[in-house]
Structures are given as structure tokens and as C-alpha cells.
Amino acid sequence: MVQLSMGMVLSDDRSGSSSFDRWILQARTGTLGNDGIARLAQTLAASGARLKSRDRSADLASTGGPGSISTIWGPAVLVAMGSPVAKLGVPGRPAGGIDVLMQIDGYRSDLDRRAAEEVLDQCGYVHLLAGTGFAPMDAAMFAYRQQAGAQHIPALAIASLVSKKIATGTLNAGLEVRAGPHGNFGADRIAAVTNARQYCQVADLLGLRGVCFITDGTLFQQPYLGRGEALLALSLLLEGREDDWLGQHVRECEQWCGTLVNGERPSRRAVAQAILDNIAAQGGDANSLHQRAAIVASDHRRTVTSTIAGTVHFNPGALRQAIIAARRPDSAGTFDDSAGLILLARPGSRVSHGQPLVSVRCEDAVSTQLLRDVVAAIMINQIEPASDAKDAAGVEVIGV
């Protein structure tokens, strides 16, 4: 038995569900507090192996949701800026950094402590899956929170995020906070800022430097939605073939990384090399990345078009759920990639009758339902807006 300072006892049962229920109850009622969150983070981190801290170590995590590849591009930018990155993640909904990289043939996310340290020594960047080796209790509690409808409780999200930084020895703990109804740091900007400050306070209690970047989670920062689509976006970036929308997003990621470690923006070549070095060091095949990306692109055989002219808007939460519903369930050790979307029109832009809006990739058996779900998530306003539509560039920084 492990006694915790917040008056809870970690049960010896395999599932840990009774302890999880107590933590969830305290988080729901607002009685966990910064000290309690910090102790919970320590407990989650202590459930598995830990990597040694390294000078200038950093990471850029996110609070989840569709439309950002900051957790894929950001780590490589940090490495190119001279900061080692040990990243520990959980599968994303619809796409997270680790489950996207796991689409690459041979890529291993289950390294043990010794192997992870060797990868860090070799290329300065290792990307792992929380589970049996590192933070297994965090992975179990994350899955339990999803089942119990407790994924969006900020105090628990903070403990989970910080536990991964402790387990990986990360000193500079960057976080993209996506403010929106589908996020777990607040449905609006005011709540997101409040929870971002608490994240930084908890990190400080544990000797870490927390820095948060508040973005608008109701907007899409780039158009590639899904695991395969994120891999396609990465392939385009590595080949220098990205469009302006994706290019703007990665430039913003690079700015956040520069703020986090006080670094100069690196060359695209240096960032690409950091990604390729990591793929090779973790057993992956870079050629597989581009081959898989080409298959994803060719599988986009269905398109939703506009039936009227006007200003187009998309519901991020609805599109996220549409992808998840159309995708096959994940199985042990693998992450399904049978569905994804590419936005063909930028939110807030004027579209004409018949203009393509969304490209759809899915299995034939679910295509009718997915197309219906996508159509339901699109809104076209025929009335001119009073002012220019906002974009995703406005970012508030917390913790600097």
C-alpha cells in the first residue's frame, strides 16, 4: 500500500479502479489542490521506469483534439535547437504523436529504459508510449478516465501530463492548450488560461518549468485530420511540399519552441534530419513513411462539395467524432488508421457552389455514415460576416 498526502491510499488491486475513483471524485469536487495534483503526478510517474534528466531537456505536449501536429513537429524543432527530447505519450483522438509515428513500418514505441537512453544518446530524441515500461499507472488511469467520462477534468489532465515529464526527466515542459468544448483544459479561453496557470504552478512545485501556449481549439490550425493524414502532412513537410495553411501552423510551432527554450528558429533541413534520425534510431523505415503517405493520399476517393455559395465553417468536435466512429477499434500494440479527412477549404473562407470542402478516406462499409457525419459538421453562412473571420494565429503564452 502507498499512502498519499491527500488522504488517499493506492489500492493493491490490479486495475487500480478504486484509487482512480477516489482521485476522480476529488478532482470533480475541486478538493485535489496543487499539492495533491503534484503528488498524484509523482505517483503515476513512479509506477514505471524513469529516464535521467539532461541539460536543456524539453518537450511540447498538447491537450488533444483535431487539427494540430505540434506534438510531431515540435519535438524535432526542439532537438534542432539543441534541446534533448524524451517524449512519452498516449494514443490521440483522432491522432496523437505516438500513434501517428506507429504507422511507420518498424517504428518501436515500447523501448525499455536502457534502450531509450541509448536512443537519446544517439540522436537526442526518443518518442515512447506510456504503458508497461514507463508510467503504466498513468496509461491505465487515462484509459479508465475515458471509460468513466472523466477525460476532460483539468486537474487529472494536469497530473497525467506532468507525470510524463517526471518519468522522462524533462525540465522544460511546454504545453499547447487548445481551448474549446472538446478539450480537457476548459471549454473557453478564460477556463483554459486558469487551468494553464495551474499546470505551470504544479510544474513549479516539482522543479519543472511549465510554459503554456493557449490556442483556439474551435479552429483548425492545419487541414490534415487523422493518423494517416498527419503522416501525410509530415511527409509533405519533409519534402518541402506543404501548402500555406500547413506551413503557417509549423511556423507557429517553431515560435512556441523558441519561446520554450529561448532558441533561434532552426533550418527546415535540421528539423527534418531530427525526425529522420529518430525514425531510424527507433527501428523505423523513412521510406515507409513516404510510401504510407502516398497510399493515404490515393485512398481519398470521396469528396464533400458545397451546394451553395457562402462562408464555410467546420465543427471540430463533430469531425473528430466522425473519424473515431468510422475507424476500427485499436487492438493491443497497434493503432488503426482506416479513416481520415483533409479539409480542402479554409474555415472562414468564401466558397462557391460545387467547390470541394472535405476529402474523405474510409472503408466502403462506413462511407455513407461518415459522409453524412461530415456534411452535418459543415456550416455555410450565406450572409457576409461583419468583420474578417478570425484565424488560429492569436496565441496567449502562460508561464513566461
Side-chain angles (χ1 to χ4, degrees):
M1 306 286 281
V2 179
Q3 184 70 43
L4 303 181
S5 65
M6 64 277 269
M8 295 181 291
V9 178
L10 178 62
S11 66
D12 288 330
D13 65 279
R14 290 186 178 183
S15 68
S17 59
S18 59
S19 294
F20 295 165
D21 285 334
R22 287 193 290 271
W23 280 318
I24 290 171
L25 177 61
Q26 288 209 349
R28 285 192 193 279
T29 56
T31 58
L32 202 54
N34 286 356
D35 288 341
I37 296 172
R39 288 300 304 272
L40 174 55
Q42 289 178 313
T43 300
L44 297 175
S47 65
R50 291 177 59 172
L51 300 176
K52 64 183 180 182
S53 292
R54 298 169 186 245
D55 290 343
R56 287 179 53 85
S57 60
D59 182 33
L60 181 62
S62 85
T63 58
S68 173
I69 59 169
S70 59
T71 57
I72 301 174
W73 193 253
V77 174
L78 290 168
V79 172
M81 289 179 173
S83 291
V85 174
K87 191 168 187 65
L88 188 61
V90 294
R93 294 165 65 93
I98 189 60
D99 39 296
V100 170
L101 292 173
M102 285 290 287
Q103 305 304 316
I104 301 172
D105 287 347
Y107 194 91
R108 291 191 57 197
S109 64
D110 58 349
L111 305 178
D112 60 20
R113 184 192 62 79
R114 181 175 179 178
E117 295 281 11
E118 289 176 353
V119 170
L120 274 171
D121 289 337
Q122 180 178 342
C123 67
Y125 172 25
V126 66
H127 204 142
L128 304 168
L129 178 66
T132 54
F134 296 86
M137 189 183 296
D138 174 59
M141 188 172 181
F142 181 79
Y144 188 79
R145 284 164 53 204
Q146 288 182 319
Q147 298 170 2
Q151 184 175 349
H152 302 305
I153 301 176
L156 300 179
I158 292 170
S160 177
L161 288 161
V162 174
S163 74
K164 297 178 183 64
K165 308 312 166 197
I166 298 172
T168 54
T170 301
L171 301 177
N172 295 286
L175 180 65
E176 181 198 357
V177 177
R178 303 176 194 168
H182 55 273
N184 55 18
F185 257 54
D188 55 45
R189 198 173 190 89
I190 293 175
V193 168
T194 299
N195 293 318
R197 287 175 176 153
Q198 186 170 38
Y199 169 87
C200 294
Q201 291 163 0
V202 171
D204 183 66
L205 285 174
L206 294 167
L208 312 178
R209 176 175 174 264
V211 180
C212 293
F213 307 93
I214 315 295
T215 61
D216 189 342
T218 67
L219 299 175
F220 288 102
Q221 298 178 38
Q222 58 88 36
Y224 297 91
L225 313 180
R227 288 167 174 164
E229 285 66 26
L231 203 66
L232 173 57
L234 182 58
S235 176
L236 292 171
L237 287 164
L238 292 176
E239 295 176 345
R241 297 192 295 116
E242 74 278 7
D243 61 15
D244 291 341
W245 190 359
L246 178 58
Q248 177 184 338
H249 174 50
V250 299
R251 286 192 296 274
E252 289 165 358
C253 291
E254 290 161 2
Q255 291 173 357
W256 304 339
C257 292
T259 299
L260 179 61
V261 298
N262 192 28
E264 295 291 332
R265 180 180 174 185
S267 68
R268 174 63 61 84
R269 181 177 181 179
V271 178
Q273 193 61 53
I275 292 172
L276 295 174
D277 288 346
N278 168 259
I279 291 172
Q282 292 194 225
D285 179 3
N287 290 328
S288 165
L289 185 160
H290 296 296
Q291 291 167 1
R292 176 60 190 155
I295 293 172
V296 168
S298 66
D299 283 345
H300 274 263
R301 299 190 299 267
R302 300 174 176 90
T303 304
V304 174
T305 59
S306 175
T307 57
I308 58 175
T311 304
V312 65
H313 300 280
F314 303 96
N315 182 326
L319 289 181
R320 167 183 179 270
Q321 189 56 42
I323 296 171
I324 294 170
R327 200 166 62 194
R328 294 186 301 260
D330 292 337
S331 57
T334 62
F335 302 103
D336 186 74
D337 181 36
S338 55
L341 307 172
I342 300 175
L343 303 185
L344 304 177
R346 198 158 182 171
S349 65
R350 291 284 298 176
V351 298
S352 58
H353 178 273
Q355 180 174 334
L357 302 178
V358 181
S359 176
V360 178
R361 176 178 66 93
C362 66
E363 296 178 327
D364 292 341
V366 299
S367 62
T368 299
Q369 185 60 54
L370 178 54
L371 287 167
R372 287 173 179 167
D373 291 342
V374 170
V375 169
I378 301 173
M379 300 141 284
I380 298 180
N381 186 358
Q382 293 181 279
I383 302 173
E384 288 286 349
S387 60
D388 291 340
K390 59 183 177 178
D391 58 32
V395 177
E396 184 172 355
V397 182
I398 305 296
V400 176

